[in-house]
Amino acid sequence: AQFVESGGGLVQPGGSLRLSCTTSGFSLGYYAVGWFRQAPGKEREGVLCITEGDGILHYTDSVKGRFTISRDNAKNTVYLQMNSLKSEDTGVYYCALDFTCPTREYKHWGQGTQVTVSS
């Protein structure tokens, strides 16, 4: 049982990307899923979380109005839609699964997906 992040890439400032966190071997529907990111030389920080019941938690105000999180349990996938990207959004993005919104102390990080915002 595992999960994988995908969808990262290089995008210009103001552009958009959609990241995916997809599980295999177990149903995503029972879990809260959080997206985290880590910029070079900085600590990992939480971005957004979606609960089992589709509640939304913003870990940081810096993405309000620009990023949204959603889930498709039939596809065992949680999406992070990122619009109006800024250079400071650059980093490796990770998802994390738990029965409540995960914290930075989560122990089972995956490989993540690189997001680079640059002109």
Side-chain angles (χ1 to χ4, degrees):
Q2 62 180 11
F3 59 88
V4 63
E5 304 96 337
S6 64
L10 173 63
V11 63
Q12 292 186 342
S16 298
L17 282 174
R18 188 178 76 162
L19 307 184
S20 299
C21 173
T22 303
T23 62
S24 61
F26 63 99
S27 174
L28 186 65
Y30 300 110
Y31 295 90
V33 178
W35 280 99
F36 292 75
R37 65 187 179 185
Q38 188 165 20
K42 295 188 176 181
E43 291 187 349
R44 197 178 332 238
E45 68 166 349
V47 179
L48 278 166
C49 177
I50 186 165
T51 67
E52 177 191 0
D54 292 343
I56 305 296
L57 170 69
H58 284 83
Y59 291 108
T60 176
D61 288 342
S62 66
V63 303
K64 282 186 175 179
R66 300 189 299 123
F67 291 12
T68 58
I69 190 170
S70 61
R71 65 193 304 153
D72 184 339
N73 290 337
K75 295 182 178 180
N76 284 323
T77 300
V78 166
Y79 302 101
L80 182 68
Q81 178 67 44
M82 306 187 296
N83 299 326
S84 302
L85 282 161
K86 305 175 181 181
S87 58
E88 52 262 44
D89 296 316
T90 293
V92 180
Y93 282 69
Y94 303 88
C95 63
L97 283 66
D98 208 335
F99 293 111
T100 58
C101 283
T103 69
R104 290 188 301 174
E105 284 66 46
Y106 185 75
K107 301 297 184 186
H108 307 290
W109 301 106
Q111 294 296 314
T113 186
Q114 175 71 46
V115 172
T116 303
V117 184
S118 175
S119 54

